[in-house]
Amino acid sequence: MKRDQDIDLPDGRIFVGGEWEAGNGAEIRSVFPADGSLNRALRGASREDGLRAIARAKAAQADPSWRGLKPHQRARHLHAIADGIEANAARIAFIQSRDTGKTLAETRALAASAAGTFRYFAAVAETWDEALTAQRGEALTMSVHEPLGLVAAITPWNSPIASDAQKVAPALAAGNAVLLKPASWSPLVSLELARIVEAAGLPKGLFSVLPGAGREIGGLLVTHPDIARVSFTGGTETGRALARKAAEKLMPVSLELGGKSPTIVFADADMEQALAGVMFGVFSSTGQSCIAGARLFVQRSVFDEFVGRLVEATKRLKVGHPFDPETQVAPMVRREHRDGVAAMVSAALAEGATLLCGGAAPEGSDFEAGAYYLPTILSGVTNEARICREEVFGPVLVVMPFEDEAEVVSLGNDNEYGLAAGIWTRDFPKAWRVARALRTGTVWINTYKQFSISTPFGGEKESGMGREKGRAGMLAYMAQKAIYADLSGAPLPWARL
Ligand code: NAD
């Protein structure tokens, strides 16, 4: 096997309806966040490229070679994609680490998860049962599902292969064609996925990968009359703008948006378990995670002790190069994103926050050219502070004390977002009560950031709408149809024949 560093990056062509073409859109630069070096400069898709991809997808989706497949036959294609991802796991991990700066340990796990997602939705397609509904007259009544036709998937830069798979797999499993628009900071791994889908032998044209400007290519996909649904993961403001456009053509959208998730440590928690979980929850992926547990509430009687240990352990986290197996905190995706995070920390300090650790880029020549930032803990603010309201999308944790269960439920819910939450306690009935009272899409009890493809994921409030994953995750990509079939053999009486 090639050493990781010898793996070739995708050549910069884009995948337009089954053809590898040079894009005609604006230049996109994929940069290695560890040192700022250029991975690849490529031309993104232009509007005309997008229109060509849509026309090819339409023809491919309508063709009996795809449209006529039985679900178990479609499932074979999905398994072939999963095989391709598994066979190319090292390549995918390397490319994604180059694109995003994530550690290889994390990108290997994301590649494995993407393969699992294709296998899961292959199984869902094969085992999907349609319903004979309760008959109320002289007709057999049925509920069946059809493909929507053309589906667009728009994804962010933070976990591209996993978020791509979460949309592409159920959409293909349901019999659609898919047009994927990755984020401009991380186009390469999605182009690698295109290579794998192509090798898996899906009908030509059924899948496209169209890196490009959000407004132009994303906008085209949202507004084009042939696109029947958009599944979007990204920031809340982008999602809101997109949903407004979708409303114009009465198109449903799935929105997986931002978060500002609370984690709650009760005095009766297992402190080691809570420490490890809180740190993983906010500092893994360098905090660039929609579900980052960014607001920490610690019960007052253990606040000083817990926060003291947390700060000491956080200072010991290994910040380093994405290819160093010891690294826990890798660079952020881009220097401009790192600088934005640093500016939010500075603003919090100016508003009276106390810096307990971090708050700067690490020192030393190893870090100078990269987008590094130290894991940062702030205290001394209330839940009203801007740093507690706005998504930072970086390794920044705010710690606050609380008195009792009722207060912490109210604090946890007092936020525009509602994506996830963590609860740390040995008292299970209490954990259950709090889990049920928090208005978030996911709650973890004595653990954090654990995922299963069979468990639905999505947000409440400004964290989005709709759910991905789980058997029901495929429903978003299917049109439900009722069929009535007469059993009487007689003319309807109204005509009085
Ligand atoms: P973003 O909103 O800037 O971009 C997301 C995608 O939308 C990109 O592909 C972008 O090019 C595209 N886009 C931009 N403008 C568009 C427009 N006008 N029309 C259509 N598409 C457009 O988000 P980002 O910075 O790439 O990602 C970070 C955000 O994603 C964070 O807010 C994070 O919380 C969120 N996120 C949410 C989840 C989740 O599952 N809830 C998962 C990961 C990331």
Side-chain angles (χ1 to χ4, degrees):
M1 200 187 79
K2 285 177 163 185
R3 281 188 309 121
D4 285 342
Q5 282 77 353
D6 295 335
I7 289 172
D8 301 329
L9 295 169
D11 65 12
R13 286 173 301 160
I14 61 173
F15 196 55
V16 184
E19 302 287 350
W20 289 100
E21 297 177 1
N24 294 294
E27 188 184 65
I28 289 177
R29 295 169 72 80
S30 162
V31 167
F32 187 32
D35 57 18
S37 60
L38 182 69
N39 293 322
R40 188 69 77 211
L42 57 105
R43 298 283 299 276
S46 65
R47 189 180 161 78
E48 286 63 36
D49 296 333
L51 289 170
R52 232 172 24 261
I54 290 172
R56 289 174 187 165
K58 199 173 172 182
Q61 201 276 331
D63 193 284
S65 68
W66 179 248
R67 179 103 200 179
L69 289 186
K70 302 281 181 285
H72 71 284
Q73 295 168 318
R74 281 205 299 269
R76 267 187 233 145
H77 284 294
L78 274 86
H79 280 299
I81 298 172
D83 291 344
I85 293 174
E86 282 164 0
N88 290 279
R91 231 183 110 67
I92 291 171
F94 172 74
I95 293 169
Q96 183 157 352
S97 287
R98 291 288 302 222
D99 241 358
T100 62
K102 281 175 179 287
T103 64
L104 279 176
E106 187 178 348
T107 53
R108 283 188 196 117
L110 290 171
S113 137
T117 299
F118 277 95
R119 293 207 192 286
Y120 178 81
F121 282 106
V124 173
E126 267 200 79
T127 57
W128 189 269
D129 291 328
E130 301 293 21
L132 206 55
T133 57
Q135 200 178 317
R136 297 185 76 93
E138 289 308 306
L140 199 60
T141 47
M142 285 164 272
S143 155
V144 297
H145 293 85
E146 311 284 0
L148 290 173
L150 271 53
V151 165
I154 301 180
T155 53
W157 46 262
N158 63 324
S159 305
I161 189 77
S163 36
D164 292 357
Q166 255 163 250
K167 299 179 187 315
V168 175
L172 289 176
N176 301 288
V178 186
L179 298 110
L180 169 64
K181 197 210 88 62
S184 297
W185 282 352
S186 59
L188 298 182
V189 78
S190 303
L191 290 167
E192 182 64 13
L193 177 64
R195 197 182 64 75
I196 288 166
V197 172
E198 183 185 34
L202 270 78
K204 213 178 172 69
L206 204 66
F207 183 58
S208 288
V209 176
L210 304 170
R215 242 172 239 284
E216 188 177 15
I217 295 305
L220 169 69
L221 295 174
V222 176
T223 52
H224 194 283
D226 287 337
I227 303 289
R229 185 173 186 108
V230 171
S231 178
F232 172 82
T233 299
T236 295
E237 284 319 311
T238 319
R240 204 191 305 279
L242 188 151
R244 275 196 204 105
K245 283 192 186 153
E248 283 294 315
K249 63 176 217 194
L250 298 179
M251 177 182 68
V253 285
S254 314
L255 301 175
E256 300 285 352
L257 307 177
K260 192 76 191 180
S261 298
T263 47
I264 298 167
V265 177
F266 284 99
D268 60 7
D270 176 323
M271 290 297 150
E272 304 279 315
Q273 205 186 20
L275 272 175
V278 165
M279 290 167 70
F280 180 69
V282 67
F283 297 132
S284 62
S285 313
T286 320
Q288 301 165 116
S289 166
C290 53
I291 45 171
R295 289 184 296 147
L296 172 63
F297 298 101
V298 183
Q299 200 153 21
R300 195 178 294 279
S301 60
V302 294
F303 184 85
D304 289 344
E305 183 198 347
F306 186 86
V307 173
R309 288 186 65 185
L310 176 66
V311 169
E312 287 316 305
T314 299
K315 286 180 182 164
R316 289 196 299 272
L317 286 172
K318 162 90 170 140
V319 179
H321 195 279
F323 295 160
D324 178 348
E326 294 298 309
T327 293
Q328 291 164 291
V329 181
M332 305 192 71
V333 68
R334 286 284 172 121
R335 283 183 77 119
E336 56 254 57
H337 181 57
R338 190 272 312 269
D339 294 346
V341 168
M344 291 178 89
V345 171
S346 300
L349 296 175
E351 284 174 23
T354 305
L355 184 67
L356 300 182
C357 64
E363 288 176 2
S365 54
D366 286 353
F367 303 111
E368 266 162 24
Y372 292 92
Y373 196 71
L374 289 171
T376 297
I377 303 180
L378 300 168
S379 70
V381 293
T382 69
N383 194 42
E384 302 304 316
R386 252 174 58 209
I387 195 76
C388 291
R389 316 305 296 190
E390 294 172 1
E391 184 181 45
V392 174
F393 223 60
V396 178
L397 176 67
V398 186
V399 296
M400 289 164 279
F402 72 92
E403 300 297 336
D404 58 25
E405 185 181 325
E407 186 197 10
V408 82
V409 166
S410 152
L411 287 168
N413 281 336
D414 181 11
N415 197 273
E416 287 70 22
Y417 293 110
L419 195 55
I423 301 167
W424 306 88
T425 173
R426 288 191 175 93
D427 177 346
F428 185 74
K430 178 165 66 185
W432 180 253
R433 285 194 302 275
V434 175
R436 299 304 298 257
L438 289 171
R439 206 170 150 216
T440 61
T442 297
V443 178
W444 285 285
I445 298 173
N446 294 327
T447 187
Y448 205 84
K449 245 183 156 182
Q450 302 301 305
F451 280 117
S452 156
I453 184 64
S454 44
T455 308
F457 177 76
E460 293 287 310
K461 303 191 280 184
E462 301 215 351
S463 291
M465 54 195 200
R467 293 289 179 270
E468 292 194 320
K469 305 184 178 180
R471 289 183 71 77
M474 212 166 79
L475 277 173
Y477 302 101
M478 302 194 290
Q480 192 170 20
K481 179 183 283 177
I483 301 183
Y484 290 69
D486 173 65
L487 292 173
S488 72
L492 291 171
W494 183 85
R496 295 185 192 153
L497 296 179

